[in-house]
Amino acid sequence: MKPGLRCGAWALLALLLASLAFAATAQKPAPARASAMPPAAAAADSGSEVAIGSEGSYALSRSFSYLEDAGGELALADLLKPEAQARFQPVAQSGSATNFGLTSAAIWLRVTLRTARDTPADWMLEVAYPPLDRVELYTPDGKGGFARQVGGDLSPFAERSVVHRNHVMPVRLKPGAASTLYLRVNSGGTVSAPVKLWQPAALWRHDQAEYATISLYFGLLIGLLLYNLLLFFSVRDQAYLVYVAFVACMAVAQAALTGFGAQFLWPGLLWWNSVSPPAGMAATAVFGLLFARSFLSSALRMPRLDRLMLALVAGWLLTLLAALALPYVVSSLMVTVLAVFSVITLVVVGVLSLRSGHPGAKYFLAAWALLLVGVVALALHNTGVLPSNALTANSLLIGSALEMVVLSFALADRINVTRREKEQAQARTMAEHAMVEALSASQENFRMQLKERETILENSIVGIAFLTPDGRFRWANQAMLEVFGAGSNPLTSMEPFYLSREEYLRVGGEVSACVGRGEHYEAEIQVRQFDGTLIWVSLSGKAVSGRDLSQGTVWVIINITRRKELEAQLVRTSSEREAILNSALVGIVLSVNRRHEWVNEKFAQMMGGSREELMGQPSSYIHPDLATWEQFGKEARETLIATGSYISERQLRRRDGELFWVQMAGSCVQPKDPDSGVIWAFLDITERKKSEEDTREALEQQRALNELRTRFVAMTSHEFRTPLSGILSAEELLRHYGNRLPESEKLEILDSIATGVKRMTRMLDRVLLLGKADAQMLEFEPHPLDLRALCDLLVEEARMQQPDSLCELRLDYTADPGQGIYDEKLLRHIFGNLLSNAVKYSPLGGLVLFRVRTEQDMTVLEVADEGIGIPEDELPHLFESFHRASNVGTIQGTGLGLAIVRNAVDIHGGTIAVRSGAGLGTTFTVRLPARH
């Protein structure tokens, strides 16, 4: 039998399993047929020419064009004629390109190989389909003709040009030229020609892995065969012997299909080589069905399906005879039909066995599923759906190997199942015997336990009673008599002990309702003893049976009079202490796990809320934010663990968001254990903090005034001394030498006296102006003003005030033209001082730039110089009264100019900024609102 079994029967098995298990998601693609493409399409196809380089292998199957010789009479000479060449058509480009199915025709395949100049000359052509009856290869011989090589499974294996399980023939290609190869294949079964061109070394490397895989497979089968044969001799279970025959037949079938049989087992037996695939497959099916019958016990569990399986076994035996005696087509059709019914039967038997709880059914189904998944994977590999790799190419071998292993495990599990059943039977026998002994012992134990429980109940310290459904005492222990002070008097009913009949009826109604719902009844009530003494009792009872209320109820009664007295005393004490704490003048809080469990009235007043809404809240609500709360918790916890107490002053937040100062002190309920709870006391110190802040501000103002007075005294003593000394000198000259001095010198002395007086006057004017500004008495009188004209005038006045200066004064005016609304007097104070300082503190000269521009709705005026600059650490004090930079040296000044500038800018509604550094010059930027 030919591989119609492998890609026919097994593929049908795969199709059936796919339709049953995967909803027809994995179907086998149809083989390519000779009539699929017209000659015009064949002429347009360019796939028949393959570029050959230096790769290890090239797949040629989809590059062939083919011609079907229905009578098998055409020779190569006939094919080389133009009319025959025109009949060649390209093979299909999807699925298995060179699988032509069951056909008696001879198939001619043509391919052109174009080699590069560096392409090796020696190659191997492999037709990887061992069951082909005859394979003929025609290659150019270099003399204008063709060399012919013959192979196939009908030829003796010894005549093969290359020893290989597949049909491998050497090919010699001319480098840098095109060579056309013709391949003729025919077979009594499926005609399939998966062709690959190999470099010899690459083929040998590939064969090492391929032969190793197949060898491992057959080694596994031999191991399983011998192992289960030994088990058969050990346990004498017929299923093991059937399984051994099943494995042996599977090995024969796979040896025939893989070519191993022809190469190693029966190389000279041509007839057996031809019939071994169908014969091995039929024998495998026979023993597979027999194994399923034995393993699943179908004769006992499913007699009808068992008869069907026996019929299938008979059919497969006929198939075996047909494979040995009749043409291949007969056995092929029988295999195809029987495979479908066999698979359906095995699947149904397996599923029914699984549903009926057969212990080995899951192994059985898993084994056949693994085999058929391997078949599906091989079919998808052969049709090009799955990529070719070691897993997909050998999926049938892997699937069948796994099937053998799983079935072997299933057989091994039969031993465990049998042992477990035997052990369970023994255990049941022993358990029944032990049960009889236990029953007699339990009766005695029950009597002893009943006596012990009666003793325990009778001597219990709590009252226990058994009441009938109508509330009558059926039984009561000694403690119950003592609770009610009955002494030797019998207890008949609970009604006499209630304070009133109404109370008795109320409790009785509640008890009836609870018992009816199947619930416990619990209550604490006041009752009367035999002598009339009032006591408190805890009453707890339930029905003996929730299903049968007529069995009565069981009650437990405890005298809790002393506890009630203590509770009342505790309530009185707690009320007194809470009243004391609520009357305290400090806020008091009990905090457990940073949650306020109790607060007093004073604390609620502090926070601006009620006690009810504060209790139970996390303590985070009293802190300004969560970060402060978390930091406080960490600090306080560390201190409480270390010392047991914590004291601090910090700001808290009232409910309305207002912040206030408190002094808070905490102490652990349990020593140094903040987790047990912390008692906090809060004292509002907001007024104290405010007084301290006011005191600090007053001290700071006094310090500033003292410093200002010191500066003023130092300034006036320095600034007044110089002009006063000049005036005194001039007076002495006029007094002693006035009659001898010429008139011009007298006028010069008088001018110096006038200059000194003016200097002191200007200084006093500045002090008065600064005083007005500080007292907010400086007037702001804006009016329309030509800013450009004023700026020109200020620059000219600064130049005239210091005619000996080396500085260059320049005005850069780019502001909007026209008049603006400004106070001219304030502008003169601002820029007169800034320009004067820029010139005065640039003793080495340089550029003094007065820049005026407009930015949005602001007028920006900058005065920049290249003078001595101001140290950066003194910039924050620059606008303070009487402050002068440390690097001014002997340059005269009062320290009042920039203070006047700052006040004038503020009154004008503007801002002033300064950029400077020692030796880097200074830039003052004044921004004033632009009013038009």
Side-chain angles (χ1 to χ4, degrees), residues 521-558:
Y521 178 80
E522 292 184 2
E524 293 181 356
I525 60 175
Q526 197 173 26
V527 296
R528 182 184 294 108
Q529 291 181 318
F530 261 90
D531 60 1
T533 303
L534 297 179
I535 62 171
W536 281 92
V537 295
S538 171
L539 189 66
S540 176
K542 62 171 291 188
V544 174
S545 173
R547 297 181 180 179
D548 185 8
L549 299 181
S550 63
Q551 295 186 21
T553 54
V554 177
W555 293 90
V556 174
I557 298 179
I558 304 174

Side-chain angles (χ1 to χ4, degrees), residues 592-871:
V592 180
N593 294 326
R594 307 199 72 187
R595 184 178 294 275
H596 289 171
E597 300 296 338
W598 183 89
V599 301
N600 72 342
E601 189 64 35
K602 183 62 177 180
F603 181 79
Q605 293 174 3
M606 281 186 185
M607 303 311 300
S610 65
R611 296 178 60 203
E612 289 74 15
E613 64 181 355
L614 298 184
M615 286 190 291
Q617 296 293 326
S619 61
S620 57
Y621 71 91
I622 69 174
H623 293 270
D625 51 60
L626 286 177
T628 305
W629 177 62
E630 291 174 357
Q631 181 64 27
F632 165 74
K634 182 179 179 182
E635 295 175 359
R637 181 177 179 82
E638 292 175 353
T639 306
L640 289 170
I641 292 174
T643 65
S645 61
Y646 176 83
I647 300 176
S648 70
E649 293 182 358
R650 59 179 55 247
Q651 276 190 313
L652 300 183
R653 179 168 59 90
R654 303 187 199 274
R655 301 289 285 178
D656 59 3
E658 178 189 357
L659 297 179
F660 68 104
W661 280 92
V662 298
Q663 183 180 39
M664 57 189 301
S667 178
C668 298
V669 175
Q670 298 292 334
K672 299 183 180 181
D673 181 14
D675 294 332
S676 64
V678 182
I679 298 175
W680 293 96
F682 298 84
L683 179 62
D684 190 339
I685 59 171
T686 305
E687 293 298 327
R688 194 195 78 189
K689 283 286 184 179
K690 185 176 180 181
S691 300
E692 292 176 354
E693 184 65 24
D694 293 342
T695 302
R696 280 194 296 271
E697 290 179 359
L699 292 174
E700 184 64 25
Q701 290 177 358
Q702 186 63 37
R703 187 193 62 78
L705 289 174
N706 290 338
E707 183 178 352
L708 182 62
R709 182 174 61 232
T710 301
R711 291 182 186 174
F712 179 75
V713 171
M715 183 273 296
T716 52
S717 62
H718 177 270
E719 292 297 323
F720 282 13
R721 184 182 296 113
T722 301
L724 287 174
S725 298
I727 294 172
L728 183 59
S729 299
E731 185 272 334
E732 289 178 352
L733 287 174
L734 291 175
R735 180 186 299 275
H736 298 290
Y737 305 103
N739 54 354
R740 288 181 287 177
L741 292 174
E743 193 65 25
S744 60
E745 291 184 4
K746 290 181 180 180
L747 292 175
E748 184 177 350
I749 292 172
L750 291 174
D751 288 341
S752 66
I753 293 173
T755 300
V757 172
K758 290 180 180 179
R759 179 178 176 183
M760 290 188 292
T761 302
R762 282 197 304 272
M763 184 183 66
L764 291 175
D765 289 341
R766 288 189 173 187
V767 172
L768 292 175
L769 182 63
L770 184 61
K772 285 185 177 181
D774 290 339
Q776 297 182 353
M777 297 174 60
L778 196 60
E779 296 178 353
F780 176 56
E781 299 177 350
H783 60 274
L785 178 67
D786 187 347
L787 185 60
R788 174 60 183 265
L790 178 61
C791 292
D792 288 334
L793 182 60
L794 291 172
V795 170
E796 187 61 29
E797 288 178 353
R799 186 180 293 116
M800 292 176 62
Q801 286 176 1
Q802 303 184 51
D804 298 331
S805 174
L806 302 176
C807 294
E808 175 189 357
L809 274 79
R810 183 187 305 168
L811 174 64
D812 181 8
Y813 191 95
T814 59
D816 295 337
Q819 292 186 343
I821 306 300
Y822 302 100
D823 188 323
E824 180 178 357
K825 179 175 63 176
L826 294 180
L827 292 185
R828 283 183 172 277
H829 286 314
I830 296 169
F831 297 106
N833 277 295
L834 292 179
L835 288 171
S836 174
N837 286 348
V839 175
K840 179 167 59 175
Y841 295 112
S842 300
L844 299 180
L847 176 64
V848 175
L849 180 61
F850 186 18
R851 184 183 296 112
V852 184
R853 66 181 183 276
T854 302
E855 290 183 0
Q856 296 180 353
D857 57 348
M858 302 294 288
T859 301
V860 182
L861 303 98
E862 288 183 354
V863 176
D865 63 62
E866 299 174 350
I868 62 176
I870 304 168

Side-chain angles (χ1 to χ4, degrees), residues 323-450:
L324 297 175
L326 298 178
Y328 163 75
V329 175
V330 176
S331 60
S332 177
L333 292 175
M334 293 178 70
V335 166
T336 302
V337 174
L338 288 173
V340 173
F341 288 103
S342 298
V343 169
I344 293 175
T345 303
L346 289 175
V347 169
V348 171
V349 170
V351 171
L352 291 177
S353 298
L354 182 64
R355 294 181 61 182
S356 65
H358 191 282
K362 57 184 178 181
Y363 294 106
F364 180 82
L365 286 176
W368 285 101
L370 289 171
L371 174 62
L372 297 181
V373 167
V375 173
V376 172
L378 180 63
L380 296 177
H381 165 267
N382 291 339
T383 56
V385 176
L386 293 179
S388 181
N389 52 49
L391 183 63
T392 57
N394 299 292
S395 58
L396 179 58
L397 298 179
I398 295 172
S400 61
L402 291 176
E403 180 208 25
M404 298 294 104
V405 172
V406 173
L407 288 178
S408 180
F409 280 134
L411 286 173
D413 187 64
R414 282 170 64 95
I415 300 174
N416 296 330
V417 171
T418 303
R419 185 172 63 249
R420 286 197 299 269
E421 290 176 351
K422 181 179 179 180
E423 292 174 351
Q424 290 173 359
Q426 293 175 349
R428 283 196 297 270
T429 302
M430 295 176 64
E432 291 173 357
H433 179 70
M435 185 179 300
V436 174
E437 295 181 352
L439 284 175
S440 59
S442 64
Q443 291 179 355
E444 183 63 26
N445 291 335
F446 178 73
R447 285 193 294 269
M448 294 296 296
Q449 291 176 4
L450 184 59

